[in-house]
Amino acid sequence: MLFSAQKAFDHIRVMAKEIGIRPGGSAEERKAGEYVLRQFKAYGLETKVEPFRVEVPGKAEAKFHVEGLGEVQTRPVCATASTPPRGVDGELVFVESGEEVFLSKTKLGQIFLLYGELGAPDKYEPLMRANPAAIVLVENARFIEPRLTKLSNEKRDAFGAVPVVRIRFEDGDRIMRKGLKRAKVVTKVSHEWKRSQNIWGVLRGTEKPWEEVVVGGHYDSVWGGYGAQDNAGGAAVAMELARVFAHRRSKRTIRFCTFGCEELGLRGSTAHVENLRKAHAKHVAKKRKPGWKMDWSPLERTRLMLNVDLQGLLFGDNYCPVGGPPELMSACKLLASEMGPAMKFDDECYSSDNAPFAYAGVPTAAFGRLGVELMWAHTPADTFDRCWKDSLAPVGHFLEVFLSRWVADAKAFPFKREIPDVHAKKVREYFKGRMFGYVEG
C-alpha cells in the first residue's frame, strides 16, 4: 500500500491547527485552498481553481438572559434575524420539538424554547407563521457547547426569519425543571456575499481519459470551529490519494477535489455540478453530427463520485452510503469483506458533497466514520488533538485498492452511470427538505 496515514495526518495538522478556523468565503479558507493547490502541483497534477460566489455569515453576537437564572451561554444561528439593540423580552414557552401541533396555544411575542432544530420547510413555515419574538434551540446532546449553525438563505428568503439562538442541553434542562418563564434575547447577525473556490488536481487517464471519476472532500469548517474531523480529515484522505495515484498513474481520468463552503449548504460541489449541467445543456443544443454519441459532455464523462467526509475519529463505525447501480454496492461490500474495514452500507442520501452529483445522475459512494465523537462536530471542540492518525489508514487503503482495481487498471469500467429510482427520490427529498442548491455563479 502506498497510502500514508502519517502524510494525511500532516495535512490535517496544517488545515485544522496551523490555519485553524476556515469558514466558507474567509481568508483562512482561501489560505487552506492555496495549501491544497500547492500539494496538487507538487504531485505533478493538472490544477484548477474553480471560483464561485456564496452568501456567508457576517459577524454574529448573542446574549440570553433568563429571569431567575441569569446569563446563559448561547450562540446565535447565523443568517437569521437580529433583535433591536436592546433585545426582545417575553414569556418563555416550551414548544417541545417545534412541530405545528405544539404551536396551537402560543401567542404573539412569546419566546419559544425548542428542543432540536428548526427543521425542514414543513416544520419551519408554521414556526414563522406563529411569529415568535425569538426562538431558543436546546441542544439534543449532553456536555457540548452550543453548535455553530446557519439558516440557509433559501429558507430565510422563502419564509422569513426571527432571532434564533442555541443553548446547552444542561441549561435547557435547568430552565424547565426550575419552571422559569421569562427571558431576554439579544442578537446581532449579518450576511454578505463572498468568493470561495474549489481546488482541483487532475490525473489524466492514459488510455480512456474520457471516463472520469471524482474523488473529493470539503476543506472548509463551520464558522468558529476548527473542522478537524469535519472535514480536514476527509480532505486529507483525498489529498493523500492524489499523491498515491500521481505516482502510479491510471487508465482513466481521476479528478481530485477539495470543495469549498460545504458547511454553508454544499455550495462548492453544487456550484461545480451546476457548471457541468450548464455545459451539458449547451453541448446537447449543438447541431449533432455523425458520431455525436461518442462526444460526451463533461457531465456525461463524470462516471462516479467518491466523497470522503468525517474522518479521524478514534472510536467509530465506518459508514458507506451508496447511490448507484447494484454492481457499485456489491463492489464496495465485497472489497470490505476481502480487506476491511467493516462498514455499514445503505442507500441513504449522505449529507455532503456527493449529493449534488447524485442529483445530476452521477453514481456516488460516500465514506464517513460515525461515532460518539461526532458530538464535537460543528463546535469549537472539533480540534486537531482529537484526531487519531491510525483511523485514517483503513479508509485510505480501501479507497486505494478500490480505485486501483475498478478505475486505474480495469479493462472496462464496471459501473453503469445510473441512479436507482429509490435513491434518486431520497436525493430529491433531501434537497427539498433543506432548501439547498442556489449559488450565484
Side-chain angles (χ1 to χ4, degrees):
M1 296 291 182
L2 297 177
F3 183 92
S4 167
Q6 182 62 58
K7 291 182 184 297
F9 196 61
D10 291 342
H11 293 319
I12 301 175
R13 178 185 292 108
V14 172
M15 287 187 281
K17 187 174 184 178
E18 296 180 15
I19 297 174
I21 298 169
R22 52 197 188 285
S26 68
E28 291 76 18
E29 186 202 42
R30 187 162 56 253
K31 187 176 180 180
E34 290 168 352
Y35 169 75
V36 176
L37 186 65
R38 289 196 301 272
Q39 304 308 307
F40 284 166
K41 287 181 177 179
Y43 303 156
L45 301 173
E46 298 177 24
T47 58
K48 177 183 178 182
V49 177
E50 181 181 35
F52 58 93
R53 291 186 68 233
V54 62
E55 189 183 47
V56 304
K59 188 175 182 181
E61 302 171 353
K63 291 183 179 179
F64 180 48
H65 183 276
V66 180
E67 196 172 292
L69 188 61
E71 292 290 328
V72 174
Q73 182 185 3
T74 189
R75 284 197 175 97
V77 174
C78 285
T80 51
S82 299
T83 64
R86 293 186 177 182
V88 292
D89 294 273
E91 180 186 4
L92 190 61
V93 178
F94 182 49
V95 293
E96 297 281 349
S97 53
E99 276 81 4
E100 188 173 5
V101 295
F102 299 119
L103 306 178
S104 60
K105 295 183 180 181
T106 59
K107 299 176 182 178
L108 188 68
Q110 292 176 327
I111 297 174
F112 291 175
L113 185 69
L114 187 158
Y115 173 73
E117 304 296 334
L118 293 172
D122 58 355
K123 176 181 175 181
Y124 184 74
E125 181 180 358
L127 277 170
M128 292 303 98
R129 290 190 182 280
N131 199 19
I135 297 175
V136 179
L137 302 177
V138 179
E139 292 295 348
N140 59 4
R142 288 183 174 273
F143 314 124
I144 64 169
E145 295 184 32
R147 288 188 174 97
L148 303 157
T149 57
K150 172 188 177 293
L151 181 70
S152 74
N153 48 301
E154 294 91 344
K155 197 178 293 183
R156 184 196 64 234
D157 293 345
F159 302 112
V162 299
V164 184
V165 300
R166 306 183 73 102
I167 65 172
R168 298 165 58 244
F169 174 89
E170 289 76 15
D171 290 324
D173 183 69
R174 283 196 295 166
I175 290 168
M176 290 298 296
R177 293 185 185 279
K178 287 178 177 289
L180 304 178
K181 296 296 184 183
R182 291 203 65 83
K184 180 178 181 178
V185 174
V186 183
T187 64
K188 184 178 180 181
V189 298
S190 62
H191 43 89
E192 56 188 331
W193 285 89
K194 288 285 188 74
R195 180 180 182 238
S196 183
Q197 56 283 314
N198 302 321
I199 310 298
W200 291 90
V202 180
L203 176 66
R204 291 291 169 193
T206 57
E207 295 183 15
K208 300 182 179 184
W210 58 87
E211 293 180 341
E212 300 183 356
V213 172
V214 174
V215 179
H218 73 90
Y219 67 101
D220 62 310
S221 71
V222 294
W223 67 274
Y226 294 90
Q229 295 172 349
D230 184 13
N231 184 46
V237 169
M239 292 167 66
E240 173 56 8
L241 288 167
R243 183 194 68 83
V244 168
F245 282 89
H247 285 289
R248 73 177 305 284
R249 299 301 170 183
S250 170
K251 291 181 180 179
R252 293 167 183 80
T253 297
I254 307 178
R255 296 194 289 133
F256 299 94
C257 184
T258 57
F259 294 104
C261 290
E262 189 267 1
E263 299 292 6
L264 297 179
L266 319 184
R267 303 299 174 174
S269 52
T270 299
H272 175 68
V273 170
E274 285 306 300
N275 288 338
L276 293 181
R277 286 160 62 95
K278 290 174 183 176
H280 178 74
K282 291 180 180 179
H283 185 83
V284 298
K286 293 178 181 178
K287 184 177 180 180
R288 295 299 179 93
K289 55 186 178 182
W292 63 270
K293 273 286 190 181
M294 303 289 286
D295 183 19
W296 289 350
S297 73
L299 179 59
E300 291 170 318
R301 291 199 297 267
T302 306
R303 314 306 287 178
L304 175 65
M305 194 275 177
L306 304 177
N307 185 57
V308 192
D309 194 352
L310 294 174
Q311 294 294 333
L313 284 72
L314 170 57
F315 297 113
D317 297 312
N318 298 296
Y319 177 46
C320 180
V322 176
E327 305 85 61
L328 179 58
M329 177 74 83
S330 297
C332 291
K333 286 184 175 181
L334 288 170
L335 185 57
S337 295
E338 175 186 334
M339 62 172 292
M343 292 187 184
K344 174 189 175 183
F345 294 93
D346 61 31
D347 64 351
E348 296 301 315
C349 179
Y350 196 53
S351 182
S352 188
D353 289 310
N354 47 281
F357 286 86
Y359 188 82
V362 178
T364 65
F367 298 86
R369 186 165 169 83
L370 311 182
V372 68
E373 290 178 82
L374 288 185
M375 66 188 292
W376 310 119
H378 296 182
T379 78
D382 183 10
T383 54
F384 172 71
D385 63 315
R386 295 188 185 279
C387 288
W388 189 252
K389 181 190 71 175
D390 292 346
S391 73
L392 302 171
V395 68
H397 292 156
F398 179 95
L399 286 168
E400 180 181 348
V401 173
F402 182 97
L403 288 165
S404 297
R405 184 175 297 181
W406 304 124
V407 178
D409 299 334
K411 293 182 178 180
F413 194 65
F415 311 122
K416 294 180 180 178
R417 191 184 180 281
E418 61 183 26
I419 300 287
D421 291 341
V422 172
H423 186 73
K425 182 179 179 181
K426 290 179 179 180
V427 173
R428 290 193 300 270
E429 290 174 347
Y430 169 83
F431 281 104
K432 181 180 178 181
R434 285 155 182 79
M435 297 189 72
F436 291 157
Y438 172 74
V439 176
E440 185 174 307

